[in-house]
Amino acid sequence: MASLAPTLKPIARIPAMSTAVAATLGLIAAALLLRLPSFGDPAFHVDEEFYLLVGDRMLHGAIPYVDIWDRKPIGLFLVYAAIRLLGGDGILQYQIVAALFAGGTAACIFLLSRRTAGTFGGVAAGLVYLVWIETVEGGGGQSPVFYNLFMAMAACCIFAAGETRDLRRFGTLGFAAMALTGVAIQVKYTALFEGLYFGLLLAWWSIRRCGGLLTAIPLTAAFALTALVPTIAAIAVYAALGHLDIFWYSNFVSIFHRGPASSAELHHRIVQMLLHVVPLLVCFLASLCYVWRTGSRDARSRLLLVGGWMVAALCGFFSVGALFFHYMLPLFVPFAVGASPIFRQRPVGPFFAFTAIFLPLSHLSYPDFATTRHSRDQIAELVALIPPQVDTGCMELLAGPPILYKLTNACFVTPYIFPDHLLGAKEAGATGTDAVAELGRVMKARPLALVTDDTPRDMNMAVYRLLRATRDAAYRRAGRVVMDGMTLDVWIRRS
């Protein structure tokens, strides 16, 4: 019988592997199904329209930060540039890829959860992630939708590294985790906080496995350097191109010059964050009680480590200060994992799982195909108002959806093409240029078309007054489209 053990051991793994494959495919299918109504929406969210535009123009030679200004890391734009290689107009393509990333993240949550939550609890945790991100602008291609997968994969490596006693395997898993973390940081810098937490865990485990602090220093330093490699590479490339100054300012300085949100805005966003986090936090606390009462020592330690990960994700959320809804997206990976153990306890587990999944679903109006059709119609109206000659005569979009640049193939007269970067009050002094002087230069260049919104909002009034004075004298209004609370006017240059 002993001679059969090596043969039977791999066979015993087959059911577990089959379960994992089935759960992964099911969660990916669930992600595609949840997002199906919004597939093809050209204006799902202003941010991802802009990312798609930058990725598209990169393939035509544009250099981010130099030719198109923004403060997001280069990795995010590389993701969208890679998506543009899939063909089509890029809209449906990026949305399908984003859905696959979301499904992959849910699958990692399943793998992270099933040790303490079982198969049912792990699948439920993956579904919790998929439905909750839909409630905070995560149904498209926001940057955390992509980097959450890298962080979830890193977490799988981290927890596996913590459980192995083989130093070689520990090092391999640790380097893989830090490499994935480094990629995530280059998709959005707030991943740094989760990466720092993972790095501290590896440092502590290195000390214990290497027999002391001094012997662990080389390995710990190598882990840290691995996480920094993608960022160092980006810095080196821009230094070689002669654009280090603008890269450094855009990526690491400009965010601290951005104007703060009002106290009313912050209060509203914090309340919304609590409304989204508290239900999962209740599940986490219930899981702690359940695991502490019935689980093994390893299960308790694992859940406490997940709790630390939750705190690190919260630090990332609060780090920037703006607290936009989509900044909550990274929270749902560790919170879903932390909530999962209670899902396996009978008879209350299915109730917790059902509530955690269907509470957000009840607010989604699913399936909503009408919004996508309406969005397409509005974009088509705007495109019809813009003359085709903008491919050489250029366009300046000071309000509205950046996808218009791509759909009309309009050229730029300034690197500051995201509407808020010139006209937003909070961006005054945060883009590395004088917004009034830059708009004056734009208007002197006389782009063929302008898109503006005269609705009172958080504007840089000096820039707005200059826009009104020069626009009304040199342009005629071609038409108006009301879209997402904005009254968008398309202006054509007078002969």
Side-chain angles (χ1 to χ4, degrees):
M1 291 296 292
S3 63
L4 292 176
T7 303
L8 294 175
K9 194 173 181 181
I11 295 174
R13 294 196 191 105
I14 292 175
M17 292 176 60
S18 300
T19 300
V21 170
T24 297
L25 294 176
L27 289 167
I28 291 174
L32 291 167
L33 187 62
L34 274 171
R35 291 159 177 256
L36 181 62
S38 62
F39 281 170
D41 186 342
F44 185 84
H45 193 283
V46 63
D47 289 348
E48 50 210 65
E49 296 172 50
F50 178 73
Y51 305 150
L52 179 64
L53 172 66
V54 178
D56 180 75
R57 295 300 168 95
M58 285 176 69
L59 297 182
H60 293 85
I63 302 175
Y65 319 116
V66 180
D67 300 313
I68 307 177
W69 192 87
D70 197 52
R71 55 175 62 92
K72 298 293 190 301
I74 188 65
L76 176 60
F77 302 129
L78 289 172
V79 168
Y80 273 88
I83 291 171
R84 284 298 295 120
L85 296 174
L86 298 175
D89 62 8
I91 296 169
L92 179 61
Q93 286 75 15
Y94 93 77
Q95 290 165 350
I96 291 176
V97 171
L100 295 175
F101 268 70
T105 305
C108 288
I109 290 171
F110 163 78
L111 295 174
L112 289 164
S113 302
R114 68 173 176 171
R115 179 76 64 85
T116 53
T119 299
F120 171 78
V123 171
L127 291 174
V128 163
Y129 172 77
L130 291 176
V131 296
W132 277 100
I133 63 173
E134 293 282 329
T135 66
V136 289
E137 303 172 345
Q142 285 285 358
S143 56
V145 172
F146 295 103
Y147 88 70
N148 278 353
L149 176 58
F150 298 118
M151 292 309 302
M153 292 169 65
C156 290
C157 294
I158 287 291
F159 285 103
E163 293 167 358
T164 185
R165 293 293 175 261
D166 184 323
L167 185 59
R168 183 185 295 273
R169 176 171 165 77
F170 172 77
T172 300
L173 289 167
F175 283 119
M178 289 296 96
L180 289 163
T181 296
V183 173
I185 290 170
Q186 269 305 301
V187 177
K188 191 166 185 178
Y189 288 118
T190 51
L192 172 67
F193 292 89
E194 295 170 76
L196 179 60
Y197 175 66
F198 291 162
L200 290 174
L201 289 179
L202 287 174
W204 171 245
W205 292 333
S206 296
I207 293 171
R208 296 179 66 183
R209 283 163 174 74
C210 295
L213 176 61
L214 291 178
T215 53
I217 286 177
L219 182 59
T220 301
F223 284 148
L225 182 61
T226 301
L228 292 174
V229 164
T231 300
I232 292 172
I235 293 171
V237 167
Y238 272 84
L241 292 173
H243 300 305
L244 180 59
D245 287 349
I246 191 167
F247 174 87
W248 190 267
Y249 179 82
S250 302
N251 282 260
F252 305 121
V253 180
S254 66
I255 189 63
F256 299 106
H257 293 172
R258 195 174 186 275
S262 68
S263 57
E265 287 176 317
L266 291 177
H267 177 265
H268 174 66
R269 292 168 188 170
I270 289 174
V271 168
Q272 289 298 314
M273 185 273 289
L274 290 173
L275 290 173
H276 285 79
V277 165
V278 166
L280 298 182
L281 184 59
V282 169
C283 292
F284 172 68
L285 295 175
S287 294
L288 271 178
C289 294
Y290 169 62
V291 170
W292 228 258
R293 190 177 67 254
T294 64
S296 65
R297 181 179 177 182
D298 287 345
R300 296 172 189 170
S301 298
R302 190 179 179 90
L303 195 55
L304 288 176
L305 292 177
V306 173
W309 182 15
M310 292 162 63
V311 172
L314 281 168
C315 290
F317 170 74
F318 284 107
S319 64
V320 177
L323 309 185
F324 292 121
F325 290 160
H326 56 271
Y327 286 14
M328 286 186 247
L329 290 170
L331 302 180
F332 295 117
V333 182
F335 272 81
V337 177
S340 63
I342 193 62
F343 297 158
R344 79 181 303 175
Q345 184 184 18
R346 299 303 174 96
V348 299
F351 170 77
F352 273 98
F354 181 88
T355 302
I357 293 170
F358 284 93
L359 182 64
L361 274 179
S362 65
H363 296 279
L364 290 180
S365 302
Y366 181 87
D368 183 10
F369 291 93
T371 296
T372 298
R373 288 194 296 269
H374 185 56
S375 179
R376 285 174 175 165
D377 292 343
Q378 289 178 315
I379 293 294
E381 283 185 67
L382 284 167
V383 169
L385 293 171
I386 298 169
Q389 293 82 6
V390 291
D391 59 343
T392 55
C394 301
M395 177 175 71
E396 179 62 16
L397 186 87
L398 290 155
I403 198 68
L404 290 178
Y405 279 113
K406 184 184 178 305
L407 295 177
T408 61
N409 198 32
C411 59
F412 310 143
V413 291
T414 176
Y416 305 96
I417 61 169
F418 191 78
D420 279 356
H421 287 162
L422 282 184
L423 204 54
K426 293 183 180 67
E427 294 290 349
T431 59
T433 190
D434 182 297
V436 174
E438 183 64 16
L439 183 69
R441 192 187 69 77
V442 167
M443 299 307 287
K444 284 181 181 178
R446 291 176 59 80
L448 177 60
L450 304 173
V451 182
T452 65
D453 174 19
D454 289 340
T455 306
R457 59 182 71 249
D458 191 18
M459 292 182 180
N460 182 331
M461 294 310 297
V463 176
Y464 178 65
R465 284 192 292 269
L466 175 60
L467 170 65
R468 286 288 300 269
T470 53
R471 180 196 68 190
D472 294 351
Y475 289 79
R476 61 175 180 83
R477 189 169 66 191
R480 170 174 290 179
V481 176
V482 177
M483 183 176 186
D484 295 334
M486 296 180 292
T487 304
L488 299 176
D489 292 315
V490 176
W491 301 79
I492 308 300
R493 185 181 63 213
R494 300 182 192 276
S495 301

